[in-house]
Amino acid sequence: MATIATPTKPDLLQTLPSDAARQIQWRFADRYDLQMLVQSVRSVARGPVARLVAGGGRNSHDWTPAKAELLEAFDQSGITAVFMEPEQGGYIAGPKNLALALIAFELAWVDGGAATASLAGCLALAPIHERGTAEQQAKYMQLAAPPQAGEDRKPLRGAFCLTEPIPYVGVDTGMLNGKLRVAEWKEGEDPILQVEKRGRFITNIGFANFVTAAVDSGDERIKGSCMVILEEGDPGTFDRGTPTRKLVHQLSSTGDPVFSLRIPASRIVGGYDVKDGVIVPRYSHSDVIEAVFRRTRVTVGVMTAAKLLSAVEPVIRYQRGRFRGGETATPGSVRYELGLQARQDTLHRLVDIWATGEAGASLGFAAARAFDELDPLEREAGKLFVAQGGTTARARAKLQREVSERAATLVALPANDPTRALLQSDPLLRFVLLDSQADVLCPATKLWNTGWGAQMMREAVSLMGGYGITEDCPGFLGNKWMDAQLEATYEGPEAVQRRQLSITMANPLFLAQFKAWINEMRAIASERPATGACTLATAMGMWLWTLERLQHSKDADGDRLYQSARQGVTFPLADALCWLLAARCQILDVLELEQRGASDPAVSEGLAGLLNFMADLCHVQSARASGEVSRICAELVFGYNRHPAWDEAGYRGCFQQADLDSLEGIMPGINSYGLDVIGNDGSHPPKAGPCAKCQGAEQFLSFQSKLATCLTGCRLSKDRAAEAISKVMIPEALDYPA
Ligand SMILES: Cc1cc2nc3c(=O)[nH]c(=O)nc-3n(C[C@H](O)[C@H](O)[C@H](O)COP(=O)(O)OP(=O)(O)OC[C@H]3O[C@@H](n4cnc5c(N)ncnc54)[C@H](O)[C@@H]3O)c2cc1C
């Protein structure tokens, strides 16, 4: 059986990772339906999408007939129908988070805008899917599904409209200006409502037939906010607005619409009750968007990871061929054969890009799988909570808190304690465990994959030299770099994800699991030292120590450090966690490949080389992640203490030269130990002040020094990975046009 090796001359990577290897890593080797889906999405991505980009389709802001043809390609290839259940016209039963993530991955491999155009349709339907009434679900899901054989209709297309023109909804989704009023309410009939909503940057608006829009009550007969479904044919104004002059994602349609429409109250997403003559929507707009974004943000994160991985092959080809045709680059010469890859830095940078792409994909797919597992569990838990008396939001929250506390106690028990089995068998315990993980994995994927991914896309562009920033760049890398910034922005920019993480990562149940993950990494490291799991475990311990310290510390002025207003504390700590989570998922995926690869005939050939390379990438990424965590945590732990000055208080901690001189007689050499010595004339050493002490942070320093030595070997891994990249076989040409 092939295992991850640590010899000095290990097997090298032979080819780029195959589909079969990816199926194992991202855990869909047993899902034939998803494997078929990947193939059909790929044929659209590398066919019509790539041809449209290569033909200049991105050069216009308008929604053109050529772009519209992509929607038909999505319908015909089965992409559109993935979101629906079989009885609604779909073909995949059950949760679809992984399926949607795979679609996003394949489309974004070529063009992020095309991926967004496809996903925005799901985003429009998501409020209905998550919180809609049975009637709303039956109607809109079926109408949005592509027509079945013999049906003569066009599928409905949707847009999701939350963001409003400044100064209203942006990051702060509570500042709604869109209004809902009662236009007509006849005794015994459904009220007719008047909707006034202006949108800003709304995707799919160029062709949408329906819109799910967030609105607030503008009438005392309606309580609070909600989401409503608007249709193109509703009486009033359905103005799509002018197209947004975007610099990115030009294959999707974006604009600033204006709606002034009359709709029946049955279009309130999730329905309503009438209490004392007031319409009370069952779900506020916040309830709905929370359920929606929780899932859809994962797919956005997967998109940026796909772009990084898609950059590998074009960069290798460019580097190798760089000097071919020149007089000095004759076949057989280093210049001819290796081109730019004869230079270590070009290889090392590509190793970093590849490792980031792997970590991002592993994190994103892990998050998607977590939601697939969570979806049915959430429904089951909902029923169980109601059965136990959780009929109101407050009662349910109380019950959930109690179950979470129980789960945290169980997670902390030793691995061989028999009561731990309850964590797997009790659906409520399983639910709270997974829910607390998903609460972290989703914002982490969106934040790290897109934010750090955008930085690393710049690196990928830079490796192509001037070519990288031209339209001719193979793999459309320049577009992908710019597009990554949109992925970091829409569906809530980085601040939104950091804000959410700063709450969810402090959940005791998540932290109990995180502690168990540290042990898990150590156990992996003892069997597979080459993965960098030990380094990661040390960095995870450092992060946890820092969080606990910041939660219980004050700054030099006596103000609490870990609190929502102090984004300077909570946000960097959230960033640090993301590095750790991504690197952990990457290691787990490589272990999966090791465990299952040998028995898969499509993977076993060349597996040893692939595993060695993937483990080296893990080591590189773990080292980088640990460095980031160490840097961030050190700033937070020490940065809020005031540095001692050369003043009265500072002098108190210093030696006096006269004292040292008198001690020299009984303790010879003491003079050479004094760092902060005040001279007999009052002079002090030329520095900012007496050296700062580390009171209470000694353990942090021991983590730091341990971490530094834990980095042993990581650069050897990088060298090995670089060598592998310089020798790996790639196809003669890219499989989509430039
Ligand atoms: C091409 C495109 C497509 C889009 N598609 C849709 C769509 O289909 N539907 C839809 O509803 N919206 C859509 N959007 C809107 C998008 O979701 C918003 O642009 C995004 O959420 C950011 O809001 P904003 O632009 O108002 O930024 P702002 O809220 O003005 O934020 C500006 C900056 O300030 C920071 N910031 C803001 N508030 C805080 C805070 N409280 N704490 C810390 N930092 C903060 C932000 O992180 C950001 O860096 C789209 C946008 C684009 C560009």
Side-chain angles (χ1 to χ4, degrees):
M1 180 179 149
T3 53
I4 298 165
T6 41
T8 42
K9 277 283 165 205
D11 289 313
L12 281 182
L13 178 71
Q14 290 175 10
T15 59
L16 300 178
S18 64
D19 279 341
R22 293 310 198 186
Q23 287 158 14
I24 294 175
Q25 281 182 283
W26 301 333
R27 325 296 160 89
F28 62 106
D30 302 328
R31 294 278 309 266
Y32 189 62
D33 55 345
L34 297 187
Q35 293 167 22
M36 296 297 290
L37 174 67
V38 164
Q39 292 311 320
S40 56
V41 183
R42 189 173 297 170
S43 67
V44 175
R46 302 184 195 191
V49 173
R51 283 197 295 274
L52 187 54
V53 179
R58 292 179 55 120
N59 296 339
S60 147
H61 304 297
D62 295 321
W63 185 246
T64 61
K67 293 179 192 176
E69 276 176 24
L70 290 186
L71 300 180
E72 279 165 35
F74 295 159
D75 295 344
Q76 281 154 17
S77 63
I79 295 176
T80 314
V82 164
F83 196 71
M84 290 82 185
E85 291 300 317
E87 64 275 15
Q88 297 163 339
Y91 54 96
I92 295 178
K96 297 166 184 58
N97 301 286
L98 181 57
L100 292 168
L102 288 166
I103 292 176
F105 186 90
E106 286 301 327
L107 288 174
W109 186 276
V110 177
D111 187 79
T116 291
S118 144
L119 294 173
C122 306
L123 183 63
L125 285 167
I128 302 169
H129 181 266
E130 296 305 326
R131 295 289 179 260
T133 61
E135 298 76 36
Q136 288 167 347
Q137 287 176 358
K139 175 179 171 185
Y140 291 97
M141 292 291 180
Q142 275 175 28
L143 290 177
Q148 309 277 335
E151 262 190 299
D152 183 20
R153 66 171 175 86
K154 285 202 175 302
L156 277 193
R157 314 277 183 201
F160 172 90
C161 183
L162 170 65
T163 311
E164 295 178 352
I166 282 174
Y168 299 103
V169 176
V171 163
D172 189 348
T173 53
M175 284 174 57
L176 269 180
N177 186 47
K179 289 286 181 279
L180 192 63
R181 295 185 179 88
V182 176
E184 214 180 301
W185 194 348
K186 289 191 187 139
E187 185 73 29
E189 284 183 23
D190 210 11
I192 302 294
L193 308 175
Q194 176 68 30
V195 179
E196 303 293 338
K197 171 87 181 177
R198 296 173 75 96
R200 178 165 175 247
F201 304 148
I202 304 305
T203 308
N204 278 8
I205 200 60
F207 52 83
N209 314 106
F210 75 97
V211 174
T212 38
V215 284
D216 202 359
S217 168
D219 193 315
E220 57 191 17
R221 287 168 294 170
I222 303 173
K223 184 159 186 245
S225 69
C226 62
M227 290 205 75
V228 290
I229 307 165
L230 312 176
E231 290 184 10
E232 198 182 1
D234 288 329
T237 307
F238 188 105
D239 181 349
R240 300 174 190 281
T242 47
T244 307
R245 289 155 53 84
K246 292 180 288 192
L247 298 170
V248 294
H249 281 214
Q250 285 93 341
L251 294 195
S252 68
S253 145
T254 314
D256 298 355
V258 180
F259 306 110
S260 175
L261 297 166
R262 277 160 80 94
I263 58 164
S266 60
R267 300 269 196 82
I268 293 176
V269 173
Y272 64 96
D273 299 302
V274 177
K275 288 185 190 150
D276 303 328
V278 173
I279 297 169
V280 184
R282 293 195 190 120
Y283 300 101
S284 70
H285 86 289
S286 312
D287 293 334
V288 179
I289 60 179
E290 195 180 309
V292 167
F293 282 150
R294 207 169 173 225
R295 289 161 174 84
T296 56
R297 283 173 175 156
V298 172
T299 35
V300 179
V302 167
M303 281 166 59
T304 322
K307 293 168 180 189
L308 288 170
L309 292 176
S310 80
V312 169
E313 188 188 320
V315 170
I316 293 178
R317 191 174 292 105
Y318 176 75
Q319 290 177 333
R320 292 207 184 141
R322 174 66 178 84
F323 303 119
R324 288 180 193 168
E327 279 170 19
T328 54
T330 49
S333 67
V334 172
R335 228 170 146 68
Y336 183 92
E337 299 301 333
L338 286 178
L340 282 168
Q341 294 201 332
R343 306 287 171 223
Q344 193 178 47
D345 184 64
T346 62
L347 291 168
H348 276 193
R349 284 179 191 278
L350 187 53
V351 168
D352 287 334
I353 293 163
W354 197 335
T356 309
E358 293 292 335
S362 292
L363 176 61
F365 286 121
R369 291 194 305 270
F371 279 103
D372 271 0
E373 211 183 323
L374 188 65
D375 282 354
L377 214 48
E378 199 172 32
R379 278 192 293 278
E380 192 182 352
K383 287 183 197 147
L384 291 171
F385 279 130
V386 169
Q388 294 179 17
T391 44
T392 62
R394 182 183 286 196
R396 187 198 145 121
K398 184 167 174 277
L399 279 173
Q400 186 157 338
R401 217 170 24 249
E402 285 163 10
V403 180
S404 297
E405 280 165 15
R406 218 171 118 227
T409 315
L410 289 171
V411 172
L413 290 175
N416 57 1
D417 192 300
T419 37
R420 273 182 125 257
L422 277 174
L423 288 169
Q424 291 310 315
S425 61
D426 182 323
L428 280 183
L429 288 170
R430 272 179 57 214
F431 165 69
V432 291
L433 274 182
L434 206 55
D435 195 49
S436 66
Q437 276 187 43
D439 270 349
V440 171
L441 288 177
C442 170
T445 301
K446 175 72 164 64
L447 171 60
W448 191 80
N449 282 20
T450 64
W452 185 247
Q455 307 268 24
M456 293 306 280
M457 262 323 293
R458 191 204 70 82
E459 281 283 313
V461 169
S462 80
L463 289 186
M464 304 289 271
Y467 205 17
I469 33 179
T470 68
E471 288 181 4
D472 301 327
C473 179
F476 313 129
L477 299 191
N479 292 343
K480 287 175 183 168
W481 167 35
M482 192 71 170
D483 284 355
Q485 182 52 42
L486 175 60
E487 287 134 37
T489 299
Y490 70 179
E491 292 204 29
E494 286 142 292
V496 175
Q497 316 310 321
R498 292 184 174 116
R499 203 167 52 186
Q500 195 184 333
L501 274 169
S502 64
I503 298 163
T504 57
M505 73 189 186
N507 176 351
L509 181 52
F510 171 72
L511 293 175
Q513 294 175 85
F514 190 81
K515 276 183 198 148
W517 293 349
I518 297 178
N519 296 336
E520 170 201 47
M521 283 296 123
R522 291 261 186 250
I524 290 171
S526 77
E527 299 282 317
R528 308 276 180 271
T531 55
C534 221
T535 319
L536 200 63
T538 306
M540 289 165 86
M542 174 189 273
W543 180 86
L544 192 60
W545 186 93
T546 305
L547 171 71
E548 282 167 3
R549 168 142 174 126
L550 294 172
Q551 282 176 321
H552 301 106
S553 307
K554 294 184 173 164
D555 68 9
D557 296 322
D559 293 328
R560 271 193 312 121
L561 284 173
Y562 201 89
Q563 51 163 312
S564 65
R566 284 204 102 147
Q567 297 179 340
V569 176
T570 55
F571 282 20
L573 210 55
D575 286 326
L577 175 66
C578 294
W579 281 94
L580 297 171
L581 295 176
R584 171 180 175 267
C585 291
Q586 186 185 2
I587 290 174
L588 294 180
D589 280 357
V590 175
L591 287 193
E592 182 77 9
L593 184 60
E594 182 188 49
Q595 277 150 21
R596 297 193 54 178
S599 58
D600 185 331
V603 178
S604 53
E605 200 193 328
L607 181 61
L610 176 61
L611 284 173
N612 291 336
F613 176 72
M614 287 297 191
D616 282 332
L617 289 190
C618 287
H619 204 167
V620 167
Q621 191 60 27
S622 296
R624 179 68 203 256
S626 306
E628 288 295 326
V629 170
S630 176
R631 177 183 65 76
I632 293 170
C633 292
E635 266 194 50
L636 295 176
V637 169
F638 295 102
Y640 286 99
N641 300 334
R642 187 156 292 119
H643 198 287
W646 297 117
D647 56 14
E648 205 185 325
Y651 280 168
R652 260 183 247 132
C654 298
F655 290 106
Q656 297 295 323
Q657 188 61 58
D659 297 343
L660 286 182
D661 289 345
S662 61
L663 281 172
E664 188 70 29
I666 40 176
M667 297 168 74
I670 188 152
N671 252 315
S672 57
Y673 283 103
L675 262 183
D676 297 324
V677 184
I678 309 300
N680 295 333
D681 58 354
S683 62
H684 57 71
K687 55 196 182 91
C691 281
K693 303 279 184 295
C694 65
Q695 255 165 7
E698 293 82 0
Q699 201 181 339
F700 183 83
L701 295 183
S702 86
F703 267 123
Q704 248 194 346
S705 84
K706 184 165 183 209
L707 194 56
T709 49
C710 282
L711 295 175
T712 304
C714 70
R715 285 275 155 169
L716 296 175
S717 291
K718 195 169 211 174
D719 281 350
R720 271 196 306 270
E723 186 192 353
I725 289 181
S726 73
K727 296 190 172 146
V728 69
M729 278 186 291
I730 57 165
E732 272 306 304
L734 204 59
D735 64 355
Y736 57 98

